[in-house]
Amino acid sequence: MEFCAKCGSRLEPKKTKSGKKASLVFACPKCGYKKSENSGTAIEPKPAKVIQHDPQQFVAVISKEEQKLTTLPTVRVECPKCGNNTAYVWQVQTRGADESSTQFLRCTKCSYTYREYS
């Protein structure tokens, strides 16, 4: 982006022709100041870098011990399968946005997962 040396406005690129040769000129829409493409310090665009990723970088290996760790909140409710009184709880919007969420519960003892509609 170039700015006018006289008034500070943003210069707009304009294509000018002189005979068979076409050149690019930056012109100020306010005061008419013109600057050729060659004058001053020209900023050349840098070529894009291509980055290759190894697919192995994206593979996450989770051990059995780490899979047992959970950070879900718990609630005191009786499991319909084993009778345990603690379950992990989370909510998911399974229906329309104007309807209430579905609450999922997973027993901390037997891992039985069930849902509760509100």
Side-chain angles (χ1 to χ4, degrees):
M1 191 177 303
E2 297 279 336
F3 296 97
C4 179
K6 291 182 181 178
C7 68
S9 295
R10 186 174 62 112
L11 297 178
E12 296 177 353
K14 303 278 183 190
K15 193 183 280 188
T16 58
K17 290 183 183 179
S18 58
K20 290 185 176 182
K21 197 173 186 181
S23 62
L24 185 66
V25 174
F26 293 101
C28 178
K30 275 187 173 179
C31 68
Y33 172 80
K34 289 184 181 177
K35 178 181 174 184
S36 67
E37 182 184 28
N38 307 15
S39 65
T41 57
I43 300 171
E44 294 291 324
K46 294 181 182 178
K49 274 189 188 177
V50 177
I51 300 172
Q52 296 284 335
H53 289 286
D54 181 20
Q56 295 297 323
Q57 286 178 314
F58 302 112
V59 176
V61 179
I62 301 171
S63 68
K64 292 278 186 190
E65 202 171 292
E66 290 170 328
Q67 288 177 10
K68 291 178 184 175
L69 295 174
T70 183
T71 57
L72 292 172
T74 57
V75 65
R76 295 181 63 91
V77 65
E78 189 176 335
C79 174
K81 192 171 184 182
C82 72
N84 184 31
N85 64 352
T86 309
Y88 299 115
V89 63
W90 68 95
Q91 291 184 351
V92 179
Q93 188 71 39
T94 56
R95 295 173 276 173
D98 60 336
E99 296 182 35
S100 61
S101 301
T102 304
Q103 185 170 336
F104 287 90
L105 299 124
R106 178 174 290 144
C107 179
T108 56
K109 186 177 178 183
C110 69
S111 295
Y112 177 67
T113 305
Y114 55 103
R115 65 181 89 184
E116 185 179 274
Y117 299 101
S118 37

